Amino acid sequence: MSENNIKIQRNLWENPWGYIESFFIGIGLIITGLFLEVFSTSNNVFTLSYPYNVIFLIGYIVVLFVLYKWFTNSQIIRWLTKVPASISSIVLVTVLVMIMGIIPQIPSENKIINNLGLNHITSNWAFLLILFQFLTCLGLISIKRILQFKWSNFGFVLNHTGLFLALTAGVLGTGDLQRLSINVYEGKPSWVATDQQKKEIELPFAFFLKDFLIDEYNPKLALVDNKTGSIAHNDGKNLYLVEKGETYYFNNFEVKIDNFLSNAIRFGMRYEAVNEIGSPPAAKVTVKNIENDSIKTAWISSGSFRYPYESLKISKEYSVVMTIPEVKKFSSDIDILTKEGERISTVLEVNKPFKYKGWKIYQLSYDDKMGKWSNLSVLELVKDPWLPLIYIGIFMMIAGAIYMFWMGNKITKNQE
Amino acid sequence: MTWIDFPLYSSIIVILWFIGLVFLLISYKKQAVLKIANLLFVSGWAVMILFVVKLWIELDRPPMRTLGETRLWYATFLPLIGFVTFIRWKYKWFLAYSFIMASMFLAINYLNPETYSKTLMPALQSPWFIPHVLVYLFSYAVLAASSIVAIKGWFDSYKGNFNIETLKLADNLVYIGFAFLTLGLLFGALWAKEAWGHYWTWDPKEVWAFLTWMGYLIYIHYRYFHAQKSKQALTILALAFVVLLVCWFGVNYLPVANTSVHTYTQY
Ligand code: HEM
């Protein structure tokens, strides 16, 4: 269908617009956007919040619909529903995102980067304008294929409309997104959270932390260079887990772990298991030098915020140390208390947020200096009222991708 | 933790699959032996499932806590996706790829027993982790294959005997690979939402993953609109693959690398 257009000699801006005109318009949009960046005085990021974003979305879709229905014959609408306009906007969005992939998106010293706003691409006018063209193309062709009402357009609609929904809802939704964090201490209720601007916000409910729990992996055994203090085995990768009864080999040393205690403190010559805040893991190791059969036995320990670590020097060059245990899992056993006197119990864990009254509550972090004795748990609360729309878009695209995998492409099939 | 019977099980599986691969190779000449190859693949896979079930029961939790355990899942699901793709598209090399990759993951676990217990940070302990990595593994493989086809296309047109069939093969591979790429991107977004509360943060790795996706999007639309312009299409395909390679290997070397949370050197 398209090949004919291109073979016919035509002048610039003559019907129908092709790639040159498309890039002309697209680059024009970008330059306009960059001018806006340079000359706009306000530093506020352009965002719409409820109800303006909803009005905008509905208005946008209605306008797209009207444009498609009654203005199809106009040059610009014909252009917007054809591939050149799409490809040029896809390419230009790609170029701007590529800038984002090269220039770090953090405050910059560089004048040019600062003035053109190249360190905040996602809120840059140039990006917003070209994204607007991108979405307009996507919206118009979605409407076109939806109105054609054919089964063969099924995959097309899933892909294009899904992307349209996910992106528009994502962009417009940022204005309504709330992200708060709250410090919750064991044994007392907390209801004052802080938002991203560090402003305090009182919640209509409180969190009561019953217990904060950390599950740790065993510490690992490492061979350390006495001079540099750095790990001298296996490039620091694949260290051995300390487990009672295991025997490991480092170069010409055989290290046997005679005993392991996950919470212990030193009593004279040995460590003993205790149940005390800040008691670090400790292990008794026997190190045999295979070359001369000399044997050394000692207790080593990872140390903690309360107790020093202990290593074992096994030769002039090397020592054996035990690393600080890594976290396997951390979770907060909490009650949510409402003003009405309700009490909801739940356990929060990484990757297992809890939904409550439009909020999603995430386990964020804890006092990492105290490690497993932390009685502070940091939670995050996210309210994202546009999420359902975004999810509809994402799941349409997932379905579209599966359709695409199964059906393959039309060009191949038509000519088979 | 040690998986006591793992060496036994994995040897049986890998031997079955290896013989299967040999038969698959023969089937290029003699179509009839394909059945034997498939039979061997399926029996190896059944042994695999048996082992996973045993391990799960023994651990009394889903085996998803350590690097070794995630590799085990790769080895379990790679053949499955390979089979589905093979049933639909009949690419034998792809079936071979999925079994070779799966065997490779088993071999890595076998050779590094200490990494059975290599720890996985809490954010990675998610049901999305494995599907996310798996679909990317497939996507990259298929898209790499499409680039090889593109190179052949370039070479042919240089010698003046370019055949449009070559480009059609590339198209089909791009469609399959792009579908997997989309799934990988979206699974990643859904997982990030579960773990951190936002689906997309424009982290450098995410930026380059997005660019890769856009690159192939351009190819797909260009091809649809200009079915005859093969040279340009081949060029776009080559460029898209360059972006993919940057995303895969290059992100660590860009000035933005130290702002990324995704630069684990291994998964
Ligand atoms: C999820 C991402 C996308 C996928 C999988 C996709 C896939 C496709 C496919 C397979 C076609 C061929 C049409 C057919 O076979 O019926 C097509 C056509 C088209 N696509 Fe996309 N596309 C995507 C995103 C986009 C975007 C972002 C735009 C615009 C900014 C766009 C604009 C177009 C246009 C204008 C056509 C031609 C429609 C027509 O002539 O009726 N697509 N797309």
Side-chain angles (χ1 to χ4, degrees):
Chain A
M1 77 185 183
S2 50
E3 293 307 310
N4 305 337
N5 315 338
I6 290 157
K7 299 225 171 77
I8 299 166
Q9 276 290 328
R10 57 178 190 88
N11 297 320
L12 207 55
W13 302 112
E14 214 175 90
N15 247 337
W17 297 349
Y19 285 98
I20 300 174
E21 292 88 348
S22 300
F23 275 101
F24 224 92
I25 296 173
I27 291 171
L29 283 175
I30 288 184
I31 292 174
T32 314
L34 292 179
F35 262 101
L36 280 173
E37 281 295 320
V38 173
F39 293 110
S40 80
T41 45
S42 96
N43 273 327
N44 284 348
V45 179
F46 169 80
T47 42
L48 288 174
S49 52
Y50 184 82
Y52 304 104
N53 47 11
V54 176
I55 296 171
F56 182 89
L57 179 63
I58 294 171
Y60 184 44
I61 292 175
V62 170
V63 168
L64 287 181
F65 191 80
V66 169
L67 286 178
Y68 181 74
K69 201 81 189 143
W70 287 286
F71 295 88
T72 343
N73 287 330
S74 84
Q75 174 75 280
I76 195 157
I77 301 304
R78 279 230 302 269
W79 167 69
L80 280 169
T81 50
K82 289 256 157 61
V83 166
S86 296
I87 287 196
S88 73
S89 69
I90 297 176
V91 169
L92 292 172
V93 167
T94 307
V95 169
L96 291 181
V97 173
M98 205 173 269
I99 292 177
M100 173 158 41
I102 293 169
I103 299 175
Q105 301 291 296
I106 45 178
S108 163
E109 305 276 285
N110 188 315
K111 259 235 156 83
I112 302 176
I113 291 181
N114 254 336
N115 281 342
L116 295 181
L118 300 183
N119 54 355
H120 59 95
I121 294 286
T122 46
S123 59
N124 190 305
W125 277 109
F127 184 73
L128 292 177
L129 286 178
I130 200 74
L131 193 65
F132 186 70
Q133 190 210 320
F134 179 98
L135 288 174
T136 306
C137 288
L138 203 52
L140 284 172
I141 50 153
S142 293
I143 291 173
K144 174 174 153 193
R145 294 282 181 114
I146 291 172
L147 293 183
Q148 282 177 357
F149 227 76
K150 277 195 296 204
W151 268 115
S152 58
N153 284 339
F154 191 62
F156 184 96
V157 170
L158 284 175
N159 278 318
H160 293 84
T161 316
L163 182 63
F164 178 81
L165 272 180
L167 277 182
T168 0
V171 172
L172 291 174
T174 45
D176 293 338
L177 184 98
Q178 270 179 289
R179 185 186 294 281
L180 312 173
S181 78
I182 183 165
N183 291 344
V184 184
Y185 292 90
E186 263 174 26
K188 63 180 183 206
S190 321
W191 60 88
V192 181
T194 45
D195 69 7
Q196 282 165 306
Q197 283 77 42
K198 301 269 176 287
K199 216 173 75 200
E200 292 202 336
I201 289 179
E202 202 168 301
L203 298 173
F205 46 86
F207 292 104
F208 185 86
L209 181 60
K210 289 187 286 191
D211 199 8
F212 177 72
L213 271 177
I214 289 192
D215 220 2
E216 284 175 337
Y217 291 104
N218 282 4
K220 292 173 179 170
L221 206 58
L223 192 70
V224 171
D225 188 312
N226 289 335
K227 267 200 237 77
T228 59
S230 57
I231 294 178
H233 181 249
N234 244 354
D235 290 333
K237 277 182 248 156
N238 290 343
L239 301 179
Y240 306 125
L241 278 195
V242 176
E243 251 161 310
K244 187 173 169 177
E246 290 287 337
T247 304
Y248 297 120
Y249 295 89
F250 294 107
N251 310 333
N252 52 338
F253 296 102
E254 181 193 280
V255 180
K256 185 161 185 299
I257 297 159
D258 304 322
N259 199 356
F260 173 72
L261 305 168
S262 51
N263 292 293
I265 46 182
R266 190 176 260 290
F267 289 96
M269 291 302 289
R270 56 176 205 281
Y271 273 78
E272 269 180 28
V274 292
N275 188 4
E276 191 180 304
I277 288 184
S279 51
K284 187 179 172 202
V285 293
T286 303
V287 181
K288 186 164 133 194
N289 187 335
I290 298 168
E291 272 171 8
N292 57 16
D293 269 352
S294 67
I295 290 186
K296 265 186 186 171
T297 298
W299 282 88
I300 58 175
S301 161
S302 312
S304 71
F305 67 97
R306 244 182 110 184
Y307 295 96
Y309 76 92
E310 285 196 68
S311 59
L312 171 63
K313 191 166 170 186
I314 55 173
S315 71
K316 254 214 324 269
E317 294 89 24
Y318 300 118
S319 296
V320 177
V321 302
M322 218 158 87
T323 61
I324 305 270
E326 282 167 48
V327 173
K328 186 191 281 180
K329 174 179 142 178
F330 53 103
S331 57
S332 300
D333 192 356
I334 56 162
D335 279 345
I336 300 173
L337 311 172
T338 64
K339 292 206 168 113
E340 296 77 42
E342 255 184 301
R343 179 180 277 264
I344 297 141
S345 296
T346 183
V347 179
L348 293 176
E349 198 184 307
V350 179
N351 271 314
K352 291 184 186 137
F354 181 71
K355 263 200 221 120
Y356 181 70
K357 287 207 171 149
W359 292 95
K360 261 201 171 184
I361 304 161
Y362 295 86
Q363 173 73 61
L364 190 64
S365 69
Y366 53 91
D367 182 347
D368 43 358
K369 206 172 121 254
M370 299 280 285
K372 67 178 168 188
W373 298 280
S374 171
N375 49 16
L376 162 72
S377 172
V378 185
L379 308 183
E380 190 172 49
L381 291 96
V382 180
K383 190 179 244 175
D384 198 349
W386 291 69
L387 200 60
L389 215 50
I390 295 173
Y391 273 8
I392 291 175
I394 289 182
F395 282 107
M396 281 174 79
M397 283 176 77
I398 289 180
I402 295 171
Y403 182 93
M404 196 170 175
F405 165 79
W406 199 252
M407 302 303 285
N409 73 348
K410 270 188 190 156
I411 314 170
T412 320
K413 275 194 300 192
N414 285 348
Q415 298 172 3
E416 247 166 18
Chain B
M1 195 212 61
T2 42
W3 303 339
I4 299 159
D5 301 331
F6 181 70
L8 175 68
Y9 278 92
S10 61
S11 328
I12 296 176
I13 296 166
V14 170
I15 289 170
L16 284 173
W17 286 352
F18 182 76
I19 304 174
L21 284 170
V22 172
F23 275 104
L24 188 69
L25 197 69
I26 298 172
S27 78
Y28 275 99
K29 287 253 158 60
K30 258 182 75 181
Q31 184 62 23
V33 297
L34 184 64
K35 279 218 179 75
I36 305 176
N38 283 338
L39 195 69
L40 286 160
F41 288 146
V42 172
S43 11
W45 198 68
V47 178
M48 180 90 220
I49 293 294
L50 189 70
F51 178 74
V52 172
V53 170
K54 256 191 69 174
L55 183 72
W56 193 324
I57 293 170
E58 193 183 310
L59 291 175
D60 206 18
R61 63 168 169 82
M64 225 177 286
R65 277 278 170 80
T66 65
L67 200 61
E69 288 164 8
T70 52
R71 290 212 193 98
L72 194 67
W73 286 107
Y74 300 155
T76 312
F77 282 107
L78 275 160
L80 200 60
I81 307 183
F83 254 117
V84 172
T85 311
F86 175 69
I87 288 168
R88 181 66 184 91
W89 294 109
K90 306 281 179 266
Y91 295 130
K92 283 182 187 167
W93 65 269
F94 192 76
L95 196 58
Y97 166 82
S98 67
F99 279 96
I100 290 170
M101 287 299 280
S103 308
M104 197 194 75
F105 281 116
L106 287 179
I108 296 175
N109 270 357
Y110 179 75
L111 295 174
N112 301 309
E114 71 268 32
T115 54
Y116 292 1
S117 40
K118 170 91 185 170
T119 52
L120 217 55
M121 59 187 270
L124 293 183
Q125 297 168 19
S126 158
W128 289 109
F129 181 35
I130 290 157
H132 173 70
V133 175
L134 272 179
V135 292
Y136 264 117
L137 272 176
F138 272 98
S139 159
Y140 285 0
V142 183
L143 293 174
S146 78
S147 302
I148 294 172
V149 174
I151 292 169
K152 180 182 184 306
W154 266 108
F155 195 69
D156 287 351
S157 59
Y158 181 74
K159 289 200 308 192
N161 58 356
F162 176 75
N163 185 344
I164 197 78
E165 289 305 317
T166 312
L167 202 54
K168 284 190 196 156
L169 176 59
D171 276 348
N172 219 19
L173 292 173
V174 168
Y175 269 58
I176 298 168
F178 185 80
F180 282 126
L181 194 65
T182 309
L183 291 178
L185 211 67
L186 297 176
F187 289 171
L190 293 172
W191 170 18
K193 186 74 194 172
E194 279 306 286
W196 296 285
H198 30 57
Y199 14 74
W200 202 263
T201 50
W202 292 112
D203 169 278
K205 190 84 183 182
E206 291 168 7
V207 166
W208 285 92
F210 179 79
L211 291 173
T212 309
W213 192 75
M214 295 289 264
Y216 286 99
L217 206 54
I218 295 170
Y219 175 81
I220 288 172
H221 291 92
Y222 192 84
R223 278 291 292 149
Y224 169 74
F225 203 55
H226 307 283
Q228 301 309 319
K229 294 199 169 180
S230 44
K231 263 273 177 53
Q232 289 88 331
L234 287 174
T235 312
I236 295 172
L237 195 51
L239 288 176
F241 194 63
V242 171
V243 178
L244 188 151
L245 289 178
V246 172
C247 176
W248 199 353
F249 301 110
V251 174
N252 297 2
Y253 304 103
L254 291 171
V256 287
N258 48 7
T259 56
S260 175
V261 298
H262 289 277
T263 39
Y264 347 97
T265 42
Q266 47 182 342
Y267 41 65

